[in-house]
Amino acid sequence: MFCYQCQETAKGTGCTIKGVCGKSDDVSNLQDLLIYILKGIAVFRAPIVSNDTTIVKIDNFIINNLFATITNANFSKADFVQRIKDAIELRKEIKAIFDIQGLKIENLPDAAIWTSDKESDFDEKAKETGVLETENEDVRSLRELIVYGIKGIAAYTHHASVLGYKDENINLFIANALSATLNDDLSVEDLITLVMRCGKCGVDALALLDKANTETYGHPEISNVNIGVRNNPAILISGHDLKDMEELLKQTENTGVDVYTHSEMLPANYYPAFKKYEHFVGNYGNAWWKQVEEFEKFNGPVLMTTNCIVTPKDTYKDRVYITGVVGFDDLKKIENRKDGNAKDFSAIIEHARQCQPPTEIETGSITGGFAHNTVAGLATTIADCVKSGAIKKFIVMAGCDGRMKSRDYYTEFAKALPQDNVILTAGCAKYRYNKLDLGSVNGVNRVLDAGQCNDSYSLVVTALKLQEMFGLADINDLPVEYNIAWYEQKAVIVLLALLSLGVKNIHLGPTLPAFVSANVASVLIEKFGIASISGVKEDIEKMTTA
Ligand code: FSO
Ligand code: SF4
């Protein structure tokens, strides 16, 4: 195996024996083969302009399978074997349409041709389809940057599509970009252009998801979320899937079973459509990597709707349920929706009834719900604060949390920020500082949480709104600094989205991506002023006095 798609990759260079995330060698190889066949499907899909049901099925398949290969989502070998078999079948279907339309491609790539239905062949072929097969380091770096960006786009597009929102242009871009990563004629410059187009498509995907979420569940509202517990049996729901949240809340109503969120599901507490449920108690615990100790103490069953799942301990494994793209052998699976019907959560609800209430690990509340609509409502107050000098800077600290000790930097950074600086956040990065008492400036909270990493669009809208309010020609003239923490591929597309909007001088940490080669890093530094983080003191100095 060779995998370097996330920030926690072994030795900062690549996982080669087993993933730091727990991914086994054979699952990693099968994920490579699956991506390879998806690229082969994309070769036939890209030139077809049509919206017929087979094309819609193919697009959904590509999106679902890209999402399944994202860090910490799916660890099941059997699942990936089945996904590869399905991919090979679907490739035949799309090729048939391609042929009927009279389309032709000289020298079809191997990814569009290679076939087998034997698992043993998959294991062998997988060894030839990995990241290191691209020999030129810069081309490899850019191809992977594009694939990881597309994985992020796929995650957002998947969530939007579950709520019935689609954008044909995003699907077409995914197919074109995937297919382009097989093209040996593309130069480094061509690939850099494609990276930028990927960022632009990322903005569109984020906007689509924002529309889907807010039109379906209302605009997030400023909310004080309880972090204590009640004395009822309960279900803990984690991940990012709001449709699962909706259906679980409906099905648990009047059952005597409470519902709490974990990690990235926290922002569900900000939506009017969910807040109305009396048995929706609040949030339990912290970011994804703390789940082992927190799931243990929760006592009731846990539902993982997307990433990030950590190998569960035997002591609570029987209480973990998975759904959607999540894969993990020996865990109970809640089947996907069929024929427009809701998922059936009766098994997990029944399980909860047999369990003790959660053990209290914290008390009090945390405040969030500062998505773009809320911030727009505070526009005059914020403008007055900036004009009077009460707020000097906004620091965007969105992104992910992770296990590494070096991420203590973000807690220390938040603590050391001068009082006249306000943090804008989204994603699980916020758990590094959302329970500190950082106070407020003239009534404006010093930590404004827009929601999930999926809600990073809100931060973009907020920046554009500020730009308009202050009549600035360039987004970089705003009193906004970017100190972003990344972990997995959704953060990659957020970064590319910001670059495509012209945002410069982003600080990225705790380390720069291993998949960025020295030459690609030089381009990012020269063109966009991207920098890694250094010490808290120097960075505060740099960002607050710039
Ligand atoms: Fe975090 Fe995990 Fe949201 Fe990621 S829970 S790390 S970028 O999956 O998705 O922020
Ligand atoms: Fe390693 Fe990250 Fe890949 Fe897991 S996802 S194998 S930790 S690089």
Side-chain angles (χ1 to χ4, degrees), residues 96-209:
I97 298 176
F98 179 91
D99 290 342
I100 289 168
Q101 294 203 352
L103 296 161
K104 294 240 166 344
I105 291 175
E106 297 274 315
N107 304 325
L108 274 174
D110 179 64
I113 302 164
W114 181 84
T115 190
S116 169
D117 55 6
K118 283 202 225 83
E119 202 179 317
S120 53
D121 289 347
F122 294 173
D123 291 335
E124 275 314 299
K125 183 68 182 175
K127 291 177 190 150
E128 303 166 16
T129 58
V131 171
L132 298 176
E133 292 306 305
T134 301
E135 279 170 24
N136 180 302
E137 206 195 340
D138 299 326
V139 172
R140 183 197 307 151
S141 173
L142 290 163
R143 282 180 175 175
E144 292 312 308
L145 183 53
I146 291 162
V147 170
Y148 304 153
I150 293 173
K151 287 188 186 190
I153 293 175
Y156 299 142
T157 312
H158 173 85
H159 290 302
S161 107
V162 167
L163 298 178
Y165 289 74
K166 297 204 161 111
D167 179 341
E168 163 79 355
N169 290 328
I170 296 175
N171 298 343
L172 254 183
F173 175 80
I174 292 175
N176 274 298
L178 268 181
S179 158
T181 62
L182 292 171
N183 186 347
D184 291 330
D185 294 333
L186 295 185
S187 65
V188 164
E189 287 67 34
D190 294 334
L191 290 169
I192 291 174
T193 305
L194 195 53
V195 168
M196 285 303 113
R197 286 183 51 217
C198 189
K200 158 80 183 62
C201 183
V203 177
D204 296 344
L206 283 163
L208 179 72
L209 180 56

Side-chain angles (χ1 to χ4, degrees), residues 1 3-6 8-10 15 18-23 71:
M1 73 176 280
C3 181
Y4 62 175
Q5 67 173 352
C6 84
E8 292 190 354
T9 194
C15 296
K18 187 179 182 186
V20 172
C21 58
K23 186 162 80 175
T71 298

Side-chain angles (χ1 to χ4, degrees), residues 1-10 14-16 18-24 28 31 69-72 75 403 487-489:
M1 73 176 280
F2 181 84
C3 181
Y4 62 175
Q5 67 173 352
C6 84
Q7 190 274 327
E8 292 190 354
T9 194
C15 296
T16 54
K18 187 179 182 186
V20 172
C21 58
K23 186 162 80 175
S24 66
S28 182
Q31 288 187 353
T69 67
I70 220 160
T71 298
N72 281 345
F75 295 86
R403 289 170 268 230
Y487 172 52
E488 47 95 342
Q489 299 77 55

